[in-house]
């Protein structure tokens, strides 16, 4: 029987990255694509609890069912699995995100929010991102990598509670290898730029740059992306630190 | 020198839980409270990247500086640390959340989003939640537990990259012990209730109940809460699965 593939993203149903993804995945199964109406970058695993959701079915795209939802990436996965799909999908594929979700970005990413939500349902789930912020980023160059990884995951599955954060280097058309890595240590050196509105009231806009704290470590996603290598980070849904005995002092 | 304590939450600056928290923490140091303008339950680590933030200073409350921000819990922590505080705080305390953040709820919780963001800055951070959805929930009964745990964390610190998810049982006034536990395995059995708007267009509202998959396991947060025990789960910010060698088949 044909496999059922659920696709979502955080760049919205209008994004080029998700259209390229849908076209490629059509060769691997039946595709249903459920995406946010509005861009949802940085929405992490946010879900809508205090507002209603509206779902709009759009025209099919290359044989895939297309839906837009006025919510977050997590909302899209939830309402797809609970209400829109005929059965639990075989895989959740999120992306292709326009910009890197390497290092600490994994925790803020709406694309990875969708993948983690798939994981919460016990569905093998993968998020794909392209390390490019150019407006005309070429997502088609990602497709051989996407197809290769999705095929493997569909064949072999993933352990329960673990999904994949796949980041592709900007020059992915000539990628050197696919490497299983870890999130690079580092932090955002944030600052808020101050502006004044027409009534001279201040408002603030987030700016800043990522500071890599282990630039020489070849096992990190950032190093791989800087060296033309596709990075795959296995990501755990359950954030419990596994050695509670180290915290017994809290209970005394 | 007096310690600097940053307080936030996800139930908004109007919430009773954060006011009780601020009053208690005043005995432990200088308190600055920066909370969302609107309720942000279920906002996880969402942050605002495509919109400006506005910050409003309110009247002091029991000697604490109070600010409201038109953003998420993560935004509150970021703008507090980057723009509002005189220096990096000694601790971030989030809550007291109105409702449990045990089990899988940790990943959706805006309260824990604030604590995790504190952790991302390298600040010892703790999120507190009370397992009660009653409108008149008695947060004052939580205060001895809050004070005890915050004191210990201020004395001893926390390992880098780890924060605490503290959940208090509904009968916390008579709590039996404080136990270091793990997130209980389980999942939300979601369903979307369907409604019709006045123009007969459908909309959906999330409902559902939590299914505990290990109800007999005494080391879980859910078991403790059901048995009058305060649960402390150490939570990792970095979700990387630590054994990449198990995923080498993806790279072949």
């Amino acid at each position: 029987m044909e496999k059922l593939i659920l696709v979502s993203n955080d760049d919205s149903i209008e994004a080029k990255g998700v259209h390229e993804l849908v076209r490629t995945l059509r060769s691997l199964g039946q595709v249903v694509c459920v995406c946010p109406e509005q861009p949802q970058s940085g929405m992490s695993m946010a879900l809508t609890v205090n507002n209603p959701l509206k779902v709009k079915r759009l025209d099919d795209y290359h044989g895939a069912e297309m839906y837009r939802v006025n919510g977050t990436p997590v909302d899209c996965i939830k309402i797809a699995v609970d209400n829109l799909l005929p059965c639990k999908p075989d895989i959740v594929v999120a992306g292709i995100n326009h910009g890197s979700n390497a290092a600490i970005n994994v925790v803020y990413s709406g694309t990875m929010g969708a993948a983690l939500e798939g994981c919460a349902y016990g569905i093998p789930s993968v998020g794909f991102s392209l390390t490019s912020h150019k407006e005309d980023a070429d997502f088609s160059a990602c497709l051989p990598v996407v197809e290769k990884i999705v095929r493997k995951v569909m064949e072999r599955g993933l352990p329960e509670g673990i999904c994949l954060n796949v980041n592709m280097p900007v020059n992915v058309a000539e990628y050197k290898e696919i490497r299983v890595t870890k999130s690079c240590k580092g932090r955002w050196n944030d600052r808020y730029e101050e502006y004044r509105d027409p009534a001279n009231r201040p408002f603030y806009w987030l700016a800043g740059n990522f500071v890599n704290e282990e630039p020489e470590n070849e096992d990190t996603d950032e190093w791989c992306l800087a060296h033309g290598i596709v990075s795959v980070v296995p990501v755990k849904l359950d954030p419990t630190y596994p050695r509670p005995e180290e915290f017994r002092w809290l209970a005394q």
Side-chain angles (χ1 to χ4, degrees), chain A:
Chain A
M1 215 185 77
E2 215 183 15
K3 298 282 188 179
L4 180 58
I5 302 170
L6 173 59
V7 169
S8 192
N9 76 347
D10 73 357
D11 289 327
S12 95
I13 192 76
E14 309 287 346
K16 198 163 76 172
V18 79
H19 288 90
E20 297 273 8
L21 187 59
V22 164
R23 278 203 292 142
T24 295
L25 296 178
R26 279 296 292 141
S27 63
L28 304 180
Q30 183 193 346
V31 176
V32 178
C33 176
V34 184
C35 291
E37 191 172 83
Q38 299 289 332
Q40 299 282 310
S41 291
M43 285 303 275
S44 187
M45 287 193 78
L47 87 173
T48 303
V49 285
N50 292 321
N51 282 294
L53 294 179
K54 285 174 283 180
V55 180
K56 168 87 173 163
R57 182 160 179 185
L58 308 174
D59 291 340
D60 288 3
Y61 180 76
H62 287 267
E65 288 182 26
M66 304 292 283
Y67 297 88
R68 71 163 192 240
V69 176
N70 66 328
T72 68
V74 163
D75 295 333
C76 290
I77 300 299
K78 280 192 181 293
I79 205 160
V81 174
D82 294 343
N83 282 43
L84 301 175
L85 297 179
C87 60
K88 196 162 149 175
D90 294 288
I91 189 168
V92 168
V93 184
I96 301 170
N97 192 64
H98 199 158
S100 163
N101 279 318
I104 182 76
N105 299 308
V106 63
V107 301
Y108 302 114
S109 163
T111 301
M112 286 309 298
L116 285 159
E117 183 60 31
C119 189
Y121 278 103
I123 304 162
S125 300
V126 187
F128 289 97
S129 304
L130 173 61
T131 307
S132 167
H133 279 289
K134 284 200 297 189
E135 194 149 343
D136 63 343
D138 178 15
F139 292 98
S140 68
C142 304
L143 300 176
V145 172
V146 169
E147 193 180 326
K148 186 169 179 178
I149 291 174
V150 169
R151 251 184 217 287
K152 281 178 192 259
V153 171
M154 285 173 75
E155 271 167 36
R156 184 148 169 173
L158 289 173
E160 201 181 322
I162 298 173
C163 61
L164 303 179
N165 181 20
V166 180
N167 283 278
M168 290 173 274
V170 66
N171 55 338
V172 59
E174 296 109 40
Y175 79 95
K176 291 184 194 134
E177 59 172 299
I178 296 173
R179 191 180 293 180
V180 183
T181 66
K182 70 184 196 64
S183 276
C184 184
K185 276 190 199 160
R187 52 191 70 185
W188 279 92
N189 199 353
D190 294 322
R191 60 172 201 284
Y192 283 87
E193 303 276 359
E194 186 174 332
Y195 300 79
R196 293 275 158 173
D197 74 8
N200 202 36
R201 289 171 300 218
F203 64 92
Y204 302 88
W205 215 296
L206 183 60
N209 56 295
F210 178 73
V211 181
N212 185 333
E213 291 174 357
E214 45 179 351
E216 305 304 323
N217 187 340
E218 302 187 8
D219 291 330
T220 68
D221 48 13
E222 291 287 350
W223 194 92
C224 288
L225 294 173
H227 292 81
I229 296 168
V230 173
S231 159
V232 181
V233 177
V235 168
K236 283 186 71 186
L237 174 65
D238 178 358
T240 302
Y241 179 71
R243 291 188 288 280
E245 64 279 7
E246 296 175 16
F247 292 86
R248 289 280 148 74
W249 53 275
L250 280 161
Q252 280 150 11

